[in-house]
Amino acid sequence: MNFLNWYDWIQPTNPYASIFFGLIFTVIVSSVIWSDTRTKKTASIALLAGVCVTVVGVTILNAVGFYG
């Protein structure tokens, strides 16, 4: 995990850190949704949407040169 710095949770410095923290946040949100609704369908939709948003967001930010 050489791609992580201690401050990457505030502002990620590379795409790998963005994906890593985006997926962690997505899993946390999905598990909260599952614990609230107790339905796998709702939690899996939230998980899939979070993964898609994370990957598309990182791709767009990388395309415009956000990571340098």
Side-chain angles (χ1 to χ4, degrees):
M1 303 232 303
N2 291 331
F3 60 89
L4 286 179
N5 296 313
W6 68 270
Y7 48 83
D8 275 338
W9 65 275
I10 299 169
Q11 181 178 358
T13 56
N14 59 46
Y16 302 112
S18 295
I19 290 175
F20 181 76
F21 286 110
L23 293 180
I24 287 175
F25 181 73
T26 299
V27 168
I28 290 170
V29 168
S30 179
S31 61
V32 168
I33 289 172
W34 179 82
S35 69
D36 189 40
T37 63
R38 297 288 184 197
T39 57
K40 289 183 182 179
K41 182 180 178 183
T42 307
S44 61
I45 289 172
L47 183 67
L48 182 64
V51 168
C52 289
V53 166
T54 299
V55 171
V56 168
V58 169
T59 303
I60 291 171
L61 287 174
N62 201 18
V64 298
F66 179 76
Y67 300 110

